[in-house]
């Protein structure tokens, strides 16, 4: 089964809260460059694909594509990266992380 696409309102939520900065702690790389080119990636915290390393069979497709399961990272910080679990702290608009417990 094909995975569901990320909704437009989810994109807006993600980018409104990024401040044009990679979500990885202490990374200062922008997500959009001076030519307005998107130079980052949207990453799933819990994998979107059945064969993904962090696939959670208990999540619905809608939960997999929700903003709370997505994070925007630059290519330097986002790939490759050890398994990390990120959580969005909506009160402050920052991202925090803890080691992923597999």
């Amino acid at each position: 089964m094909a995975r569901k696409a990320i909704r437009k309102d989810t994109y807006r939520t993600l980018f409104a809260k990024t401040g044009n900065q990679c979500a990885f702690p202490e990374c200062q790389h922008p997500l959009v460059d001076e030519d307005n080119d998107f130079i980052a990636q949207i990453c799933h915290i819990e994998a979107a694909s059945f064969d993904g390393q962090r696939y959670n069979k208990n999540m619905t497709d809608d939960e997999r594509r929700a903003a709370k399961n997505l994070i925007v990272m630059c290519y330097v910080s986002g790939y490759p990266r050890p398994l990390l679990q990120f959580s969005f702290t909506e009160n402050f608009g920052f991202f925090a992380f803890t080691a992923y417990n597999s």
Side-chain angles (χ1 to χ4, degrees), residues 42-89:
I42 296 174
C43 306
H44 285 83
I45 297 165
E46 301 277 356
S49 302
F50 177 73
D51 58 349
Q53 288 182 327
R54 297 172 315 279
Y55 184 78
N56 180 346
K57 65 181 180 181
N58 297 317
M59 290 181 83
T60 67
D61 286 339
D62 285 332
E63 289 172 325
R64 286 186 191 95
R65 69 180 181 158
K68 67 180 182 179
N69 188 48
L70 301 169
I71 191 165
V72 187
M73 299 180 77
C74 71
Y75 284 100
V76 175
S77 294
Y79 183 83
R81 182 56 67 192
L83 294 179
L84 297 175
Q85 181 179 18
F86 291 84
S87 62
F88 187 71
T89 309

Side-chain angles (χ1 to χ4, degrees), residues 8-54:
K8 285 185 182 181
D9 61 326
T10 302
Y11 280 113
R12 287 187 200 109
T13 298
L14 287 173
F15 287 99
K17 295 181 178 183
T18 64
N20 193 35
Q21 187 172 340
C22 175
F24 193 77
E26 301 179 22
C27 180
Q28 300 295 315
H29 289 109
L31 305 175
V32 178
D33 68 12
E34 56 277 345
D35 296 324
N36 290 323
D37 293 324
F38 181 60
I39 54 171
Q41 59 190 326
I42 296 174
C43 306
H44 285 83
I45 297 165
E46 301 277 356
S49 302
F50 177 73
D51 58 349
Q53 288 182 327
R54 297 172 315 279

